């Protein structure tokens, strides 16, 4: 496929914006990419170089310095833009870096409207801005459109959404919220952290958001062997403003990590489909035991979710009614690795209150109705019967269910 000009264009050139059109179904497009290499290599070459020589004193080539642009990164960015339904994508060193770059658009006195159930690292970054940069941050229930509406004013610069949230699995109607915010303000950007869904399940730009970003550390890469973030936009000016931040602070993704991400993303569709079908079976099993399960296809918000996303994803959580029981379950599993994060081919189990969400103080957790006994499951690609049998023996060992 003609996925860009024959010789790779620099990431700050406007010529990269035109070629990101999807011609095939998403599962075809994730694997469909031409290396554009002079030797027609099947894999995109890694340009492991900091500098590029100029043709002459006055003639610059397409690239000069890897902080500003690198052919491997340009290739990844074009590929990601195509998959995310964007005119431009930017690859940076982590998911948190992606949000950090976006918040450089916010000035002192500006306001950010954000969820009250955000990823912990995002909370930490917003708290820093509120404490040190005079940015006003409103943490509200973003499942409530009327609540969002009442917080939009001329100082609002960003509305930051996650859906579903992790691990409470709250659903925000991104399409309706985007329309409402744009109706009330021409300055507020609707920014969606799409890490939980990946472009396979949801493409926020097609739902009306201005920016979609993801921690590529999770599903996009899929193997937990790199950290990366991708920002995707359609507005050309916004894209070049964000590029300027990345060029200025040097957080563009390193060539080797770009290559690993290009390699990982090829299997995104098959990994995600398998992880999701496994997660569905596990949610059904736990639900069948009478446990309170949180999964986007279960509960009152399932209808909203099914309007904006293709499937429920691969992260679910459940309650046991007793923290000590939950601790015993987590420790009794064999296949499920005790680990933070998600999106990996391996299945992971965690107790968020003791792990990923331990930095939120217990009082705030209680205010946000965060169950201390909540167990999170991030489902991988193993055989579902093995995963369920392992959970079953752990639940029995913990005393939650009787041994069969
Ligand atoms: C992991 C994660 C991030 C942060 O990404 P890193 O790559 O770890 O910096 C942001 N948002 C969500 C929803 C995440 O799960």
């Amino acid at each position: 496929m003609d996925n860009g000009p024959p010789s790779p264009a620099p990431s700050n050139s406007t010529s990269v914006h035109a070629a990101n059109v999807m011609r095939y179904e998403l599962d075809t497009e994730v694997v469909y990419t031409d290396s554009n290499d002079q030797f027609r290599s099947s894999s995109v070459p890694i340009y492991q170089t900091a500098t590029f020589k100029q043709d002459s004193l006055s003639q610059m080539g397409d690239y000069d310095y890897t902080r500003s642009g690198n052919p491997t990164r340009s290739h990844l960015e074009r590929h990601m833009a195509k998959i995310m339904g964007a005119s431009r994508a930017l690859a940076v060193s982590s998911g948190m870096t992606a949000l950090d770059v976006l918040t450089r658009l916010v000035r002192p006195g500006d306001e950010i409207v954000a969820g009250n159930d955000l990823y912990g690292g995002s909370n930490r970054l917003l708290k820093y801005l509120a404490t040190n940069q005079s940015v006003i941050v409103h943490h509200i229930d973003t499942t409530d459109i009327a609540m969002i509406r009442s917080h939009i004013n001329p100082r609002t610069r960003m509305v930051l959404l996650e859906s579903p949230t992790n691990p409470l699995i709250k659903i925000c109607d991104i399409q309706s919220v985007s329309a409402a915010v744009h109706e009330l303000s021409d300055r507020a950007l609707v920014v969606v952290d799409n890490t939980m869904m990946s472009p396979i399940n949801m493409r926020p730009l097609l739902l009306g958001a201005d920016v979609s970003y993801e921690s590529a550390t999770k599903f996009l890469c899929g193997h937990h062997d790199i950290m990366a973030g991708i920002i995707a936009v359609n507005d050309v000016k916004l894209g070049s403003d964000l590029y300027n931040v990345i060029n200025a602070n040097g957080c563009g993704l390193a060539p080797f990590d770009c290559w690993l991400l290009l390699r990982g993303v090829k299997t995104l569709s098959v990994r995600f489909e398998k992880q999701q079908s496994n997660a569905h079976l596990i949610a059904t099993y736990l639900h069948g035991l009478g446990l309170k399960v949180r999964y986007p296809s279960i509960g009152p918000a399932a209808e909203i979710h099914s309007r904006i996303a293709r499937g429920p994803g691969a992260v679910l959580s459940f309650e046991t009614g007793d923290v000590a029981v939950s601790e015993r379950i987590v420790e009794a599993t064999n296949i499920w690795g005790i680990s933070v994060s998600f999106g990996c081919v391996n299945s992971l189990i965690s107790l968020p209150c003791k792990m990923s969400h331990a930095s939120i103080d217990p009082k705030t957790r209680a205010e946000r109705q965060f169950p201390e006994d909540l167990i999170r499951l991030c489902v991988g690609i193993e055989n579902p019967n093995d995963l369920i049998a392992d959970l079953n023996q752990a639940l029995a060992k913990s005393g939650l269910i009787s041994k069969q």
Side-chain angles (χ1 to χ4, degrees):
M1 172 182 176
D2 178 16
N3 192 26
S7 65
S11 54
N12 56 344
S13 143
T14 49
S15 63
V16 295
H17 302 314
N20 306 320
V21 183
M22 287 233 315
R23 294 202 232 155
Y24 303 107
E25 296 293 330
L26 203 51
D27 39 1
T28 305
E29 291 286 2
V30 289
V31 280
Y32 203 68
T33 172
D34 191 323
S35 72
N36 290 326
D37 172 52
Q38 57 174 322
F39 302 115
R40 309 209 24 90
S41 67
S42 305
S43 163
V44 174
I46 309 170
Y47 284 84
Q48 189 63 41
T49 181
T51 52
F52 299 82
K53 288 178 186 159
Q54 298 186 192
D55 290 341
S56 71
L57 239 174
S58 57
Q59 267 190 307
M60 302 264 287
D62 285 337
Y63 296 92
D64 54 10
Y65 197 50
T66 282
R67 170 154 44 69
S68 310
N70 176 287
T72 314
R73 192 189 303 144
S74 298
H75 195 102
L76 171 68
E77 290 177 338
R78 283 197 297 275
H79 192 58
M80 293 310 309
K82 180 183 72 171
I83 294 165
M84 293 168 88
S87 72
R88 187 167 193 184
L90 298 156
V92 294
S93 58
S94 73
M96 284 320 306
T97 308
L99 182 59
D100 181 56
V101 166
L102 288 162
T103 58
R104 305 291 176 119
L105 303 172
V106 180
R107 289 195 290 262
D110 280 352
E111 301 190 7
I112 297 177
V113 176
N116 57 10
D117 179 22
L118 286 182
Y119 175 71
S122 307
N123 262 332
R124 190 188 298 134
L125 181 60
L126 295 183
K127 195 169 173 190
Y128 178 86
L129 293 177
T131 313
N132 301 296
Q133 313 274 327
S134 308
V135 172
I136 296 137
V137 182
H138 303 282
H139 286 285
I140 62 167
D141 177 2
T142 46
T143 65
D144 181 347
I145 297 193
M147 179 81 96
I148 294 180
R149 278 181 169 276
S150 71
H151 281 82
I152 306 296
N153 66 52
R155 292 182 304 276
T156 312
R157 183 68 174 121
M158 187 180 287
V159 177
L160 178 59
L161 306 171
E162 279 180 42
S163 188
T165 60
N166 155 34
L168 297 186
I169 316 290
K170 289 191 188 154
I171 308 295
C172 166
D173 183 346
I174 289 166
Q175 193 159 27
S176 306
V177 170
S178 299
V181 171
H182 291 141
E183 175 202 315
L184 294 170
S185 166
D186 50 18
R187 187 163 179 259
L189 294 172
V190 176
V191 175
V192 178
D193 177 340
N194 194 40
T195 309
M196 282 277 279
M197 286 288 96
S198 93
I200 293 298
N201 255 6
M202 189 162 80
R203 292 191 291 161
L205 295 179
L206 306 185
L207 299 172
D210 301 290
V211 181
S212 172
Y213 76 94
E214 291 191 23
S215 165
T217 313
K218 316 289 168 59
F219 287 111
L220 293 178
C221 169
H223 296 77
H224 281 184
D225 47 14
I226 59 160
M227 308 224 35
I230 303 285
I231 307 170
V233 298
N234 270 320
D235 185 87
V236 173
K237 165 83 168 54
L238 181 56
S240 84
D241 287 350
L242 295 169
Y243 167 77
N244 287 337
V245 174
I246 294 165
N247 188 29
N249 74 7
C251 66
L253 192 61
F256 184 58
D257 289 352
C258 289
W259 182 83
L260 279 171
L261 185 50
L262 269 167
R263 177 186 158 115
V265 82
K266 285 187 183 179
T267 54
L268 173 64
S269 174
V270 279
R271 279 189 280 109
F272 198 90
E273 296 294 339
K274 171 77 171 169
Q275 288 174 271
Q276 181 165 264
S277 76
N278 279 355
H280 172 78
L281 292 171
I282 290 161
T284 307
Y285 156 74
L286 293 169
H287 199 56
L289 294 176
L291 297 173
K292 183 169 179 203
V293 179
R294 295 172 198 244
Y295 190 49
S297 58
I298 296 174
E303 192 270 324
I304 297 174
H305 180 78
S306 69
R307 267 193 278 123
I308 58 172
R310 290 213 306 192
V315 178
L316 62 137
S317 56
F318 68 101
E319 291 166 46
T320 65
D322 184 334
V323 185
V325 169
S326 295
E327 285 176 8
R328 288 203 291 277
I329 293 170
V330 170
E331 303 213 307
T333 54
N334 298 311
I335 303 172
W336 299 80
I338 305 175
S339 174
V340 295
S341 200
F342 58 87
C344 181
V345 287
N346 298 96
S347 289
L348 307 173
I349 190 167
S350 69
L351 202 58
C353 281
K354 294 260 154 86
M355 298 169 63
S356 52
H357 291 64
S359 63
I360 306 173
D361 68 276
K363 192 170 145 272
T364 311
R365 284 204 301 260
E367 278 164 19
R368 293 181 189 167
Q369 297 175 331
F370 200 116
E372 300 284 313
D373 61 327
L374 193 78
I375 295 178
R376 185 180 74 173
L377 299 176
C378 304
V379 184
I381 62 170
E382 302 91 341
N383 185 298
N385 298 332
D386 285 336
L387 292 174
I388 290 173
D390 191 28
L391 272 180
N392 198 70
Q393 66 79 24
L395 293 177
K397 214 176 202 173
S398 77
L400 187 66
I401 59 172
S402 57
K403 292 199 171 67
Q404 274 130 19

